[in-house]
Amino acid sequence: MMNRNKILSFLNIKVFIYVLIVATALFALTFTYLHNAKSDGYILGDWLINYQDGGFKRRGLSGSFFFLLQDLTGIKLNLLVYFFQVMIIAGFFYFYFKLIQYKKTTFLYLSLLLSSIGFIGLFNCVDYVGKKEFIVFFLFAYFVYYLNKNSLSKSKEYWVCLGLFVAMFFHEITLFFIPYFLIALYLKTGKFEFKRYFKYLIAVFIPTVFMALLGKEINEGQSLQILQDRGVILTKGIFFWNIDERQYIKDHIQEYRLYLVSFLISLFHLGFYLKYQTDKKMTSILLLGAFLFSLPLFYLAIDWGRWMYIHMIFMIVLFAMQLKDSRDTTILEVLKFEKKFYITLFIIILSLLYRVEMSGRGFTFEGFFYRIFIAPLELLNKMV
């Protein structure tokens, strides 16, 4: 027993998290570049939805913004979009790193990052990278970092609200994850401040009303030609999307039922994590409320794995704020071979075994281990 505990004493969870942050950031930036280089219609295409085709519509601000930049600079749209993606992706990981730098990270907290819908989700599904949710991830990481430092001034709050307001015109999913900003405020202050919350709600609900009343279709018929004239040729993706998503889910119900397996595993994981946190009852109620607030996404769109992944990233940042403070950037957690350690280890191993697809198959055993150890052998076998 002494020898085993001595081995555990050399495991520095904090350093491992640092490495994981860097690896995830580099992976995200690399595959985002590849998506843009090949003019991916789902990644790049979503960033190039514009107002030039038919007028005001949901998500259209991003494309018109990049059109303006192209007119001013002459730089290719693919590169302009990528430069912006680099800023928000790097910004998210930077503020997340700063948030946990002086925190006592635990083996149990590490398990959240290694969840199949946590940071590992990016490695399992490269379609996660480069999407517009990184705008909201960046805003939330920035917000929580200053909130944790007790330096979230009124001016910073208003800048965050302005960011949320603008983000709504980039992608409407901003609305469905606004509860996490309010939950973070409550967990930090320990009290409900409804007047303070009002500006966050207004920032997302005003654009929602405008889009609901005035918004036109994403593709009004000229988008592909407009993009082609600007040097981007798309052959699939958001501009070709013509699927009844609710009917699609019904037609693939056997695959979508498997999301229940992934959901229950994640629910057990979060329940086990909260068991060791303070104020776990109120935190659980608030997180349940945040999930229920996002339910329309699961009804309206097929990307169930994506919505689960977004929830987990928000919780990873949120729970980082609740970690104990430390003066040491590489402080060691003293691990012991006990029930908590074994259950956490089991959760991590299980998380690395299975995969949650963005849409489609809700649970497969094609997780991180499969992609690292088995998939290369299968590819090699096909080549021989």
Side-chain angles (χ1 to χ4, degrees):
M1 179 66 71
M2 288 297 293
N3 288 334
R4 287 189 296 173
N5 286 332
K6 189 174 182 180
I7 293 172
L8 286 181
S9 68
F10 289 103
L11 299 178
N12 193 315
I13 302 301
K14 193 67 168 290
V15 172
F16 186 86
I17 290 178
Y18 289 155
V19 172
L20 182 59
I21 291 172
V22 173
T24 308
L26 291 176
F27 183 89
L29 292 172
T30 300
F31 276 89
T32 297
Y33 174 79
L34 294 175
H35 284 313
N36 288 2
K38 68 178 183 179
S39 296
D40 186 287
Y42 292 103
I43 307 296
L44 178 64
D46 197 29
W47 287 93
L48 295 178
I49 298 168
N50 58 82
Y51 297 148
Q52 277 75 358
D53 175 27
F56 179 76
K57 62 184 71 169
R58 61 192 176 96
R59 310 187 198 179
L61 180 60
S62 55
S64 294
F65 170 67
F66 291 118
F67 289 176
L68 176 61
L69 289 181
Q70 186 183 43
D71 292 339
L72 293 173
T73 65
I75 299 174
K76 292 181 179 180
L77 283 175
N78 307 58
L79 291 177
L80 288 172
V81 172
Y82 182 65
F83 292 152
F84 186 80
Q85 290 168 319
V86 168
M87 287 191 292
I88 61 169
I89 293 172
F92 163 69
F93 284 107
Y94 170 78
F95 280 107
Y96 175 66
F97 171 83
K98 295 293 290 183
L99 175 62
I100 68 162
Q101 188 176 13
Y102 290 98
K103 292 288 187 177
K104 295 180 180 178
T105 51
T106 65
F107 189 51
L108 184 56
Y109 180 77
L110 171 64
S111 70
L112 297 176
L113 277 70
L114 296 178
S115 165
S116 186
I117 54 172
F119 280 19
I120 290 298
L122 288 171
F123 292 94
N124 286 345
C125 299
V126 295
D127 290 337
Y128 283 153
V129 304
K131 288 185 173 288
K132 289 180 176 178
E133 51 259 36
F134 267 100
I135 298 174
V136 197
F137 291 164
F138 164 69
L139 289 171
F140 190 60
Y142 171 90
F143 169 79
V144 172
Y145 170 69
Y146 283 107
L147 181 63
N148 177 71
K149 289 181 61 181
N150 296 312
S151 57
L152 185 68
S153 62
K154 286 187 177 181
S155 62
K156 285 189 177 71
E157 277 201 78
Y158 280 110
W159 277 112
V160 170
C161 290
L162 177 61
L164 290 169
F165 180 82
V166 173
M168 277 295 298
F169 293 101
F170 275 61
H171 203 299
E172 64 277 9
I173 60 168
T174 306
L175 166 69
F176 296 99
F177 296 95
I178 195 65
Y180 284 101
F181 289 83
L182 312 185
I183 293 171
L185 286 170
Y186 170 80
L187 293 179
K188 182 62 178 178
T189 64
K191 58 183 179 181
F192 291 107
E193 301 173 283
F194 296 105
K195 289 183 178 180
R196 191 179 187 184
Y197 303 158
F198 185 69
K199 56 181 173 289
Y200 293 90
L201 297 174
I202 287 295
V204 294
F205 276 104
I206 288 179
T208 300
V209 172
F210 272 100
M211 286 185 282
L213 296 178
L214 305 174
K216 297 183 179 181
E217 294 297 322
I218 284 177
N219 186 1
E220 287 287 331
Q222 298 301 315
S223 287
L224 293 172
Q225 185 60 52
I226 291 171
L227 292 176
Q228 184 174 334
D229 292 342
R230 288 179 171 271
V232 176
I233 299 176
L234 303 177
T235 57
K236 62 177 182 178
I238 188 70
F239 293 110
F240 298 86
W241 194 252
N242 188 27
I243 292 177
D244 183 334
E245 301 200 38
R246 278 170 283 181
Q247 186 59 46
Y248 180 91
I249 293 171
K250 292 178 182 178
D251 293 341
H252 297 80
I253 192 63
Q254 297 302 323
E255 295 174 353
Y256 274 81
R257 281 176 178 170
L258 294 175
Y259 280 107
L260 180 61
V261 178
S262 301
F263 176 77
L264 291 176
I265 293 173
S266 300
L267 189 64
F268 170 77
H269 189 179
L270 290 170
F272 185 70
Y273 182 87
L274 289 171
K275 177 182 177 181
Y276 295 92
Q277 309 307 306
T278 57
D279 201 15
K280 53 181 174 288
K281 182 177 180 180
M282 180 56 74
T283 303
S284 300
I285 293 172
L286 294 173
L287 292 177
L288 175 61
F291 178 75
L292 293 176
F293 192 79
S294 73
L295 279 182
L297 285 174
F298 291 86
Y299 175 71
L300 296 170
I302 65 174
D303 301 343
W304 286 15
R306 182 182 177 188
W307 315 142
M308 292 169 64
Y309 155 74
I310 295 174
H311 274 294
M312 180 59 83
I313 297 299
F314 272 104
M315 285 186 280
I316 285 171
V317 176
L318 183 68
F319 292 154
M321 183 180 70
Q322 294 183 290
L323 295 171
K324 293 180 180 178
D325 293 328
S326 168
R327 294 183 179 181
D328 190 348
T329 60
T330 57
I331 187 170
L332 281 166
E333 178 195 16
V334 179
L335 294 173
K336 296 180 180 179
F337 283 103
E338 55 187 11
K339 183 179 179 181
K340 178 183 176 182
F341 171 81
Y342 286 120
I343 294 177
T344 304
L345 181 61
F346 170 76
I347 291 172
I348 290 174
I349 293 173
L350 178 60
S351 297
L352 296 174
L353 285 173
Y354 77 96
R355 177 185 184 218
V356 183
E357 292 187 357
M358 185 173 66
S359 59
R361 295 184 297 171
F363 179 92
T364 73
F365 281 109
E366 297 177 0
F368 186 77
F369 284 155
Y370 171 85
R371 296 172 70 81
I372 294 296
F373 300 113
I374 299 177
L377 295 177
E378 292 181 342
L379 180 61
L380 183 62
N381 186 54
K382 291 179 181 179
M383 295 172 63
V384 174

